[in-house]
Amino acid sequence: MKILNFLFIGILALMSQFAYGQTGKTVQGMLRDTEARPISGATVKLVSAQDSMVMTSSPAGIYNFDLVKADQFKITVSSLGFETYSKDFEFPAGQQKMFIPSFVLDVNSNLIEEVVISGVLTVQVKGDTVEYSAQGLKLREGAVAEDALKRLQGVEVDKDGNVTAQGEAVTRVRINGKDFFGGDVKTATKNLPANIIDKIQIVDDYGDMANLTGNRTGDSEKVLNIQIDPKYNSGWMTTLRAAGGTEDRFQTTAMVMRMADKTQISVLGNLNNLNASMFDFQTMGGGARNRQGGGGRPGGGQFSNNQEGITKTSAIGLNVRHDFSDKFKIYGSYSFERNDNNTLSNVFREYIGLNQTEEENSENNNIRANHRFETNIEWNISDKDYIKLTPQFGFNDNKTNNTASSILFRDSLLDNNQLLTTLSNSTAPRYNISGLYNRRMNDRGRNFFINFNFDNSVTERDVNEALERQVFDPNNQQTPASEIYQQVLQDVQNKSWNGGTSLSYTEPLTDKSKIEVTYDYNISDYDNTDRQRAVDRENNPIDGLPGSNYNYAYDYSFTTHRAGASYMFENDKIKYSLGAAVQPSLLRGDAFSANDDAVINRTNLNFVPIARFEYKFSRQSNLSMSYSGRATEPTVTQILPFEVTRNLMTTTGNPNLDPEFRHQVQFRFRAGDVQKGKNFFAVLRAELINDRVVTMNKRFARPGQGMFQFVDYKNETDPIYNISSFYMFGRSLKDKTYNITYMGGVTYNKNVSYLATDSLATLDDYRKNVANNVILMQNLFLRYTPSERIEINPGVRFTYNMANASLPEFDAPNITTVAPTLIGSVNLTKSTIFGADVSKSFNRGFANNVNPFIINSYIEQRFMKGDRGALRLQGFDLLNQQVNLNRSIGEVRTDTQTNRLARYFLLSFTYRFQKFALGTPSGSQSDLPFDKPRPRM
């Protein structure tokens, strides 16, 4: 390590000597607002044919560039809350130093709301983006982006690191506007140091098309964009951690990031058995047609113990970005992770209407290995032409070993017990390419846009399932049980591909209005084979149950065309778009077996309104409304017209199903007196589903054989609707020393199913059940942060879950959960920190109410120059009460309890190193004397 330090210092010395040996010119200037006040922290860029420099203005509003080579150059100034300023300059003949008179930056008139604290503009809302300044967040040295997010009003980070903003999950992260590790949220928030962040943006992102053309269509996703302070865009960052503890717990992580003016390289590594996954592989990434991103699985936080089971993780990743020029840029990443999870479950099921209950205990081992590679290529061909290409590749390998033992009671008498062992293996390579081209045809707004995508995946799965069941005589429990043995061998190959293209042409009518004509084409194609063989202990075929032995093949596709036109208008107060589109769809294919075949051919035509509206009451409040509609094809299981039987459950698809069509309406309202630290946000969403695919369930018992289930599908004739709401009120007092956040919402879901309990029941004998579910959620959080050295966060969460059904026997007990929490930390000395996370859950309404009291705590000692080293002793779940309890409601009411990472102690050492060309970020602990009097609580 010393040798490396000497080499590094020597290189820096040589570079500095080389720099001082150069000759160049000097440019100096000053920034002022319209009231002649200096503007600090503004980003100032100097660009010429020979130069590319960037810096931030000083507290006095001064900026200074040395070693300028060119005689002609451009200065561009941008600052939070002000209009961007840009102007060309030229050195007077024979002069080596140039002083530019004060720039006067105009306030951005499009701001909806802003907050100014201690002279720093900290919050502004512009269109679909809420932007926070990272200044003044009162963070400790060593804090990461996740810690900064927890300080923002309207943003919530749970113990697993999942981020929600304004009631919606954040699904993608970008750094300086570009995807970081495929948009994986927690990969960035848990590793990026907070002291290099300049701004944090929460964006309602409608995809590249909306970003380029300004025309928003479809549904948005919440995107987190982290802007690095320009001062720290050139340098090194390193974080290394090693830990070991009781119960054989361990963790080793490493993060190295190198940033230069045009290049950024990040390397991450993770090895642990603390349920701390590093990457999310549930999707491939954004691409050029607005795909959903990561953020779904728990990450590596200090108290992240809420993942089910115990997981051992090995992961490594590389993220690279290089700007070959201002016009040509490439960025991408490679991620690998292997997770080995062991989960113990205890399940209680109540079969509604059958007077039957089941208790199950299971042990599941799942090993997942995932690879993901993606690249983004951006090329600004000219000021009017832009191209983006995104190739992606992924590979998943999944192995599962599950053993489940269960006991079924009918009329309170033992009916049967069984042991089910399942072994499965699957592999899934997939690749994708997407791209777009945008052409600005004039400066008035005439624009042409086209994008495309092609995805291909092949999933191969084999299953070996063994069922051993003992069935008892309910009339004579002493009679020896009859035994049933069945082994199922299944091989499945699912080939699928989908592609599509979107075109948009925009023609301006006036300075404030324009029309847009759009066309979308999408196709999804499925080519699958499914073979299954059921045998007894002697390997003889079992033919008694239909659908146990089969060899099916099916090939079908779902195609949609959508053509529409809309009129758009925008002025200082109102922005709206009105129009309509037609969407014909075709569901076509065939399925066949050795003895049967079926043809699928369904056509539909949907009329889709286009409507968006936004009204600005003032710079501090606005109301918006949007509508979207889309068609969804049935799944393979729902449409395959053959019998498939596993574990006495037979499923038969329906080739005559129509696609579902979903209408969605959303209202948003923002308001508040933000100069006084007040903020209010509310959203209301409603969804109406036509032709909803619903299940037809037939359950019955056969003496001496067990419980049988037959599942069919149909389109529901009555519309299905769901409604959800969310609201948040925040108040900051005394320069963010006191923060109050009150948030909540109500969700209503309607579901329809058809039920029968007679083995001879016909379609006319099924009973329709309408299930209504209402969830009320209320949260109150307080935060007291008088300085970087003390933080106290009390809070309480309340959830009320109410369910009722049109069939009285399906009514379920209401569930109430009250969970008070207390999270805090304090500096005992300048370099010693104590922290605790205490929570208590009060549950009522479950079959087995569990009310865990969870206490996590740590003490940390920092040392070395700049507090680079930290030794931390952590205690997790000190009372050893960690459990996971969930309820699902339907034809079967299910309560599930699973194991989690329980009590253990961990000793960790963390080393952080930062080195930047323009200086290392100063930590709060070195800026403030420790003996400064603390505010009274």
Side-chain angles (χ1 to χ4, degrees), residues 366-418:
N366 178 244
I367 300 175
R368 300 188 310 269
N370 298 284
H371 301 260
R372 179 182 62 201
F373 171 81
E374 67 175 31
T375 301
N376 295 271
I377 304 169
E378 297 184 4
W379 184 20
N380 289 87
I381 303 174
S382 66
D383 294 339
K384 299 181 181 297
D385 300 277
Y386 171 78
I387 288 178
K388 179 180 179 180
L389 289 175
T390 305
Q392 302 169 327
F393 173 78
F395 183 83
N396 299 339
D397 188 2
N398 198 345
K399 296 179 174 63
T400 300
N401 185 346
N402 181 273
T403 301
S405 61
S406 62
I407 302 177
L408 181 71
F409 294 89
R410 182 154 56 100
D411 297 325
S412 300
L413 297 175
L414 177 61
D415 184 86
N416 69 77
N417 61 45
Q418 71 174 34

Side-chain angles (χ1 to χ4, degrees), residues 317-511:
L318 171 68
N319 189 88
V320 178
R321 173 181 175 179
H322 183 70
D323 298 348
F324 291 89
S325 67
D326 292 338
K327 295 185 176 182
F328 189 73
K329 304 173 182 179
I330 295 180
Y331 56 97
S333 64
Y334 167 75
S335 306
F336 168 78
E337 185 168 278
R338 183 183 185 275
N339 291 309
D340 187 344
N341 174 268
N342 286 283
T343 301
L344 304 178
S345 301
N346 188 326
V347 182
F348 177 82
R349 299 184 182 94
E350 182 180 0
Y351 295 89
I352 308 300
L354 297 175
N355 199 21
Q356 297 186 4
T357 60
E358 183 180 16
E359 298 176 5
E360 178 185 281
N361 294 298
S362 67
E363 180 176 352
N364 184 80
N365 174 249
N366 178 244
I367 300 175
R368 300 188 310 269
N370 298 284
H371 301 260
R372 179 182 62 201
F373 171 81
E374 67 175 31
T375 301
N376 295 271
I377 304 169
E378 297 184 4
W379 184 20
N380 289 87
I381 303 174
S382 66
D383 294 339
K384 299 181 181 297
D385 300 277
Y386 171 78
I387 288 178
K388 179 180 179 180
L389 289 175
T390 305
Q392 302 169 327
F393 173 78
F395 183 83
N396 299 339
D397 188 2
N398 198 345
K399 296 179 174 63
T400 300
N401 185 346
N402 181 273
T403 301
S405 61
S406 62
I407 302 177
L408 181 71
F409 294 89
R410 182 154 56 100
D411 297 325
S412 300
L413 297 175
L414 177 61
D415 184 86
N416 69 77
N417 61 45
Q418 71 174 34
L419 177 65
L420 180 66
T421 303
T422 305
L423 302 175
S424 68
N425 298 279
S426 67
T427 58
R430 63 196 190 279
Y431 60 87
N432 159 268
I433 185 169
S434 60
L436 65 85
Y437 169 73
N438 189 76
R439 167 74 176 177
R440 291 192 301 111
M441 305 177 75
N442 63 26
D443 295 332
R444 294 182 61 244
R446 181 180 296 166
N447 194 88
F448 173 75
F449 174 92
I450 182 173
N451 66 14
F452 74 93
N453 77 284
F454 177 80
D455 303 84
N456 185 283
S457 65
V458 178
T459 300
E460 295 184 349
R461 184 179 74 251
D462 61 86
V463 179
N464 187 339
E465 182 178 87
L467 170 66
E468 298 180 69
R469 174 180 287 136
Q470 290 182 317
V471 181
F472 296 85
D473 184 354
N475 298 317
N476 187 354
Q477 295 281 289
Q478 304 304 317
T479 302
S482 58
E483 294 187 359
I484 297 176
Y485 178 87
Q486 177 178 304
Q487 183 178 12
V488 172
L489 304 174
Q490 184 186 38
D491 294 299
V492 179
Q493 184 181 74
N494 297 327
K495 298 180 181 179
S496 65
W497 65 269
N498 66 80
T501 185
S502 301
L503 294 89
S504 166
Y505 175 77
T506 305
E507 179 65 31
L509 301 178
T510 67
D511 291 341

Side-chain angles (χ1 to χ4, degrees), residues 628-658:
S628 63
R630 59 186 175 90
T632 305
E633 75 271 24
T635 66
V636 171
T637 301
Q638 293 169 343
I639 204 170
L640 178 66
F642 302 128
E643 293 178 330
V644 175
T645 299
R646 290 274 301 278
N647 191 16
L648 301 184
M649 184 177 81
T650 301
T651 301
T652 306
N654 182 359
N656 296 317
L657 288 176
D658 286 322

